[in-house]
Each structure stands twice: as structure tokens, then as C-alpha cells.
Amino acid sequence: MSILQIGAVLLIVLFMLLGSGIWVAISLLGVGFIALKVFTGTPVDMVLGTSVWGSISSWSLAPLPLFVWMGEILFHSRLSEDMFAGLAPWLGRLPGRLLHVNVLGSGIFAAVSGSSAATCATIGRMSYPELKKRGYFERMIIGTLAGSGTLGLLIPPSIMLIVYGVSAEVSIARLFIAGVLPGALLVVLFMSYVMLWSLLNRDKTPPPEPSMTLTEKLRGSGRLIPVILLIAAVIGSIYAGLATPTEAAAVGVAGSLLLSALTGTLTWATFRDGLRAATRTSCMIGFILAGASVLTVAMGYTGLPSGLAQWIASMHLPVYALLAALMVLFLILGCFLDGISVVVLTTSVVLPMVQAAHIDLLWFGIFLVIAVEMAQVTPPVGFNLFVLQGLTGRDILAIAAASVPFFLILLGAAAIITAFPEIAVWLPTTMSHG
Amino acid sequence: MKTLHRALSALYGLCAVLAAVCLAAIAAIILAGAVARQFGLVVPSANAIAGYLVAASTFLALAPTLRSGGHIRVALFASRLGRRTRRWLEVWCLGLGTVLVGYLAYASVEQVMNSYRFHSTSPGLLPIPMWIPQLPMAFGLAVMTVALLELLMGTLAGRMPDYADPAMAVADEEAGL
């Protein structure tokens, strides 16, 4: 069989396993197993043991469970309430008024949490009922929540960037810093869209809140200061090279425990629940990474990724065409798979192709994560849609429809960082250690 | 049968607790290392130990995460099937899962035995015998195999596995990711 035929067979097997409801991690393991057994002559048990052990016992994976835990602790704290009370007084004068709470709140929470659905749920839990009560247009409330919730994946700390960094062997510290400016760009784009929309739909924006004095505003925002400090400590220390991502994550865990102790939300029950949920989520991700490591090794033995890379290189595609094709592929995969699976499949199969096209792997990580962000708001499988379905009781298709403008903005952002890659790769070059 | 089920549930519970302790220990050892550095001290092999704890936490949590529906799967087609067909699909998933995870468990037990036999140790200041950190992986995978097998037996006997409620799986993913 030729390499491409082998690839086609494995791909069909993978989608059969995934489609029939076999857990993603076990499907990846299964395809890797079959590839090793049928297409290579290696001792499968040895390869399986070493590749799984090597991928999961890695020091570079340590920030993942810690950042997941940090997000869990803050998710159970009063942050949701504080965010609304702290941001709302300042945004009443902008066109679109309190809708900006969703965008900015998500941006801030994204800087302490690495997950999109957690960001969406934390901000939405408080702001959805509040905004609805005040008479904001529901489609926009839902759209802003779904769209800006995805910032959790891009703005550091980001679970998705850790997964990419570990499996593509790119520095996680540099990936984190590379995500900062594209994340800020998205916040600006989302807010601009909200302003533009409200200027065009003045009748759909409720009147401003009664004005508050500066002292009152500052008092409302005071409770956000510890969170801002925590963000500065975590991201700042990575940027300045004072701490590795793992150390920053451990400090972040300690800081968020302190924060929830100070606001009185830290009890034995919340501590235990947060730790339990974090253990479960990291286990789920770690198991997928373990399955993906078997697939990656098996792929290496079959020579499929390098074969694909040569095939693509022989076509002399312009880089833009290749990226456009990959974006389409990511979006199709993203309709059916969760983001982590899309990332690990990409790194197992597509990465040599990307390298052969001389695309910077640091930049590609950001591009890939923006594609995964879009997948969070596309039905039938989009985690932000699921979260908002639970929160609002609306039909998933209605929520997806409300998210369409934000989906298009994400696509635009991917185009912008393709045209101006410096937005992603410039900031990491200014780091003192990398 | 009932006693066996209760014993296994206790085993999964124990694994969940150990996994959570390992996760908390990662934070503790990293913080200890960072604090020690300020005083010019070194926690030996802190990085390597943190990595081993990640592995221990991940693999020990496998079975309890399976029980609570925490492992991601594509439920798109399964959720549309009737109860009867659905049960056979679960048998297929659990059967193949048992075989594959069972084989991985076997491979990792073999790895532990090889590390023990050839006295492999970790690189770094503190030479840790490799079979020690590799043991939780083998144990966790073995417990996962047992959990899959138990669910397979239950499903064959006519009970739907307790993770199989798609609404519950989504709720779990919401909380986690």
C-alpha cells in the first residue's frame, strides 16, 4: 500500500471509532495501536509503554493541572459577582453600554482561566440575568458571551496552548506571551462590533444606569484589584522570566486560594470540589494526550505525516492557500470534536507539513487556537453553546445563530494575524528569557 | 455481586482521592522549590517529581473520571439511537475500550517490571528508581480496565452504564472545560 492509502485507511478507522462513541483518548490509542500492529514491525507493547509514559510524566505538562485547578478555585469564588459590580459602572457611557461587561469580563477572567467554557460560564452566570432584567437585546447578550468566552483559550494562561506546546514541543512561556496581543486584538474587535451594532440599533439598547460618583465607582471596582494583581503576578512573572509557567501556575493556585479565603468563599467543601473537578478535567486532557502520543509515534513509524508534507510541498501551494485549507479542515473537525482533540490530531499529523512550508510553529499555535475558538461556537459540538444552553434555556441553534457575528470576527482575526504575524510573534521576542 | 460492586466503588473512590492528593502535591512541591530558591536552597529533582506526580494524578483518576462521565466522546450519533440499539453501541464501546486499555495496562506493567529488573533510575540530583513513579500509571490503567469491564458486564446484563446519560456528560464538560 502507498503511504496515502495507509493514511486513508487509518483516517476512516479513526472516524469510525470516534463516530461510534468510543472515548476520544481510546480512539486515538486504538488507531495508533492498529497502525503500529498492521503497518510496522515494531514491538507494540514497548512502544506503547514508553510513549505514554514519556508524554504524561513530562515536567512541561505540570502547568496544565495547576492552571485547571486555579480556574476551578476562582470559578467557585465570588469573582462572577465582583466582575459585574466592578466593570458595569465604567461602561454605561459607551455605545452598547453593559454588553461590554461580557467582553471585558471575559477578557479579564480569561487571564486567570485557561478554558473557554469556564470563562463563558463564570461571566454569563451573573451578567446574563442582570442584562436581561435591564432589557438588553437577548441575541446580543448571548452572542457576546459565546464569542468573548472563547478568549479563555487564547489569553494566557491557556490550557489549549499548553496542550499545543507540549505536543508540538514549543516553549509554553513563549506561546503564552504570543497569545497576549492577539487576545487584546479580539477584545478590541468584539467591543467595536458591539458599539457599531448599538449605534445602528439605538432602539434596542436600554437607557443608561443612574450615574454614580467617582468614589462609588471606585468602591465597586475595588474588589477587582486582587484579581488584577493575580493576573499581573502570573503573566508578568512568565514574561519577565522570573518564573517558569509551572511556578507561575503554582503561585496562581496559592493566590487564588488566598483570594477566595479573603472573600470568604473558601470552605473545605469548595476546596474539595474544586480539587476534585480539576483532577477530573486534567485526567481527561492527560488521557487524550496519552492516546495522542501513541498516535504520534505510530504516525512517525508509518511515515504518513512526512509523506503528506512532501506531497503538499510538491504541489508548491502558496502559504496562504495552505493556511486557508487548514482553516477549513479545523472548522470541519471542530464541528464534531472538542478543541483538545483537534489540537492533538493536528500536531500528530499536520505539523510536519506546516514545518515543510516554513511556517513558524509559535505563530501557528496562535492560528490554531483561534480556529479552535471558532469551533467552540459552531454546532453541533461547541462547548460554549452547551454552556449557554444550560444558562439560558434557549435552543442550541438559536445560540449558534446569535454567535455568528462573533464567529466571523474570529475568522477576521485569523486573517489579520496571517497578514500581520508580528501581532503574535513580536512580544515573545522582547522576553528576557525564552 | 453486590459486595464486589461495593468493593470496586471503594477502589475507584480511593483512586480519586490519591489522584487529587497528587495534584495538590504538584503545587506544593513547585512552591517549595520556588521558596527554597529564595534562600539559596534546592529541592532535589523537584521538576522531575512534579512530572511524576502529573502522571500519577492522571492515571489514578482514569476510572473515577470514567464513572462520572468526564472522558470526552462524540455522543452525536449515540444520543439519537433508541435504547436497545444504544445498549449494543455501549457494549461495543466498552468492549473495545476494555481490550485497548487492558493492553495498555499490560504494556505499562511490563514497563514497571523492566525498570525494576534493569534498575533504571531517573536522571538528576536524586536518582529515583523508575519503577516507583511508573507504578501508579500501571495501577491506574489496571483499575481503569476493571472499571470498563465492570460496566461492560453490567451493560450485557441489561443495565445502561451510569455515564451514558448525554445530558450529564455535557454538564460535566461545562464544569471542566
Side-chain angles (χ1 to χ4, degrees), chain A residues 19-24 33 45 48-50 52-53 57 59 72 115 117 247 279-281 283-284 287 338 383 386, chain B residues 37 47 51 58 62 65 68 70-73 77 89 92-93 96 103 107 110-111 163 172-177:
Chain A
S20 67
I22 298 208
W23 296 268
V24 171
F33 177 81
D45 49 344
L48 236 57
T50 45
V52 168
W53 168 251
S57 65
W59 143 251
E72 283 293 338
S115 131
E247 287 164 345
T279 308
R280 220 165 53 182
T281 303
C283 166
M284 178 271 287
F287 194 31
D338 63 286
F383 285 109
F386 292 154
Chain B
R37 208 168 57 185
N47 288 0
T58 305
L62 281 178
T65 305
S68 60
H71 291 299
I72 287 192
R73 62 202 299 220
F77 306 106
L89 192 73
W92 150 255
C93 292
L96 197 64
Y103 188 76
E110 214 173 45
Q111 179 173 241
Y163 62 77
D172 278 327
E173 278 150 18
E174 268 170 34
L177 261 173

Side-chain angles (χ1 to χ4, degrees), chain A residues 76 265-276:
Chain A
H76 292 287
T265 47
L266 184 66
T267 61
W268 170 242
T270 59
F271 178 82
R272 192 193 53 202
D273 290 351
L275 186 56
R276 185 185 288 160

Side-chain angles (χ1 to χ4, degrees), chain A residues 95 193-205:
Chain A
Y193 172 73
V194 169
M195 287 195 248
L196 190 70
W197 178 88
S198 357
L199 291 174
L200 295 173
N201 299 278
R202 283 176 188 280
D203 53 319
K204 285 178 182 141
T205 314

Side-chain angles (χ1 to χ4, degrees), chain B residues 2-138:
Chain B
K2 203 146 195 159
T3 336
L4 179 65
H5 176 71
R6 219 173 294 150
L8 287 177
S9 296
L11 178 64
Y12 309 143
L14 176 70
C15 285
V17 172
L18 289 175
V21 170
C22 287
L23 202 162
I26 303 169
I29 193 158
I30 296 295
L31 283 175
V35 171
R37 208 168 57 185
Q38 306 304 313
F39 297 101
L41 299 169
V42 175
V43 175
S45 300
N47 288 0
I49 295 172
Y52 299 152
L53 287 168
V54 174
S57 175
T58 305
F59 288 106
L60 288 172
L62 281 178
T65 305
L66 174 76
R67 299 300 303 229
S68 60
H71 291 299
I72 287 192
R73 62 202 299 220
V74 180
L76 214 57
F77 306 106
S79 58
R80 274 157 215 224
L81 297 174
R83 210 189 135 76
R84 243 182 101 82
T85 337
R86 177 75 196 276
R87 196 161 68 81
W88 285 110
L89 192 73
E90 292 298 342
V91 168
W92 150 255
C93 292
L94 289 164
L96 197 64
T98 309
V99 172
L100 285 170
V101 178
Y103 188 76
L104 186 58
Y106 155 76
S108 37
V109 169
E110 214 173 45
Q111 179 173 241
V112 173
M113 293 195 333
N114 284 335
S115 300
Y116 184 77
R117 201 176 305 144
F118 300 118
H119 305 286
S120 329
T121 54
S122 66
L125 274 176
L126 198 67
I128 304 168
M130 284 308 284
W131 66 268
I132 299 176
Q134 285 172 348
L135 192 61
M137 167 169 145

Side-chain angles (χ1 to χ4, degrees), chain A residues 83 86 141 145 224-225 231 244 287 327 361 379 382 385 391 397 428:
Chain A
M83 201 74 90
I141 309 179
L145 280 173
L224 282 185
I225 291 172
I231 294 171
T244 62
F287 194 31
M327 180 56 93
L361 288 188
L385 302 180
L391 215 60
L397 288 179

